[in-house]
Amino acid sequence: MLFIFDMGGVVTTTAKIESQIESILKISHQQFLEYCGCSSDAEASDPSKTNLFTLCSDGIIDCREFWRIFSERSGIKVTTDWWHWLFHPVLNEKTVELIKELKASGHRVICGTNTISSHYANHIERGDYAFFDQTYSSCFMGVSKPDVNFWKLILTAENAEPENCVFIDDRKDNADAAASLGIKSYVFTGADELKDQLKKDGII
């Protein structure tokens, strides 16, 4: 069986840092969203203000380019990659133990994650991807969840059939998208709960 685990919210905490960045830059949350192009006001006032998060997650731009465009939009010169230096997620040890158990039982376990280049670098430095047989990161794949092409790319790369795959994510929209392809999908609420459900379903 091929197990596909999300990273943030499953293997580690999501470590939201937007409020810290807003405090450092002395801007409101609404201003931050507008400069990033991910608020309805930003889109309404200027259709060219594309969502920088989406561009980063899909690997169209890297984080250095994110901050360059952000600086142009906001008039605030940002020379520090705050996405990298403020990102300190916490490892979910119970999830890691489950991953190790699955691998020891002969299953292939991979990571399928939406992430930006700076967070990917953080996880590499911390060794968070070392628990997996392979990592599929949206910023290198060119597509992000819940686009079904995210899983289609993984299935092709792994030479796997959907019915032989299990996907775990903390977001229901992502789990639903994977399930639409025939992948057995679970919304993560905790490692113990996931393990119990996998046993109940006869997967492990």
Side-chain angles (χ1 to χ4, degrees), residues 46 83 93 95 115 149 151:
D46 185 356
W83 295 124
E93 298 289 352
T95 303
T115 192
N149 288 309
W151 293 277

Side-chain angles (χ1 to χ4, degrees), residues 36-57:
C36 291
C38 52
S39 72
S40 56
D41 291 343
E43 293 173 1
S45 62
D46 185 356
S48 68
K49 287 191 174 180
T50 48
N51 189 321
L52 297 183
F53 290 119
T54 299
L55 294 178
C56 262
S57 183

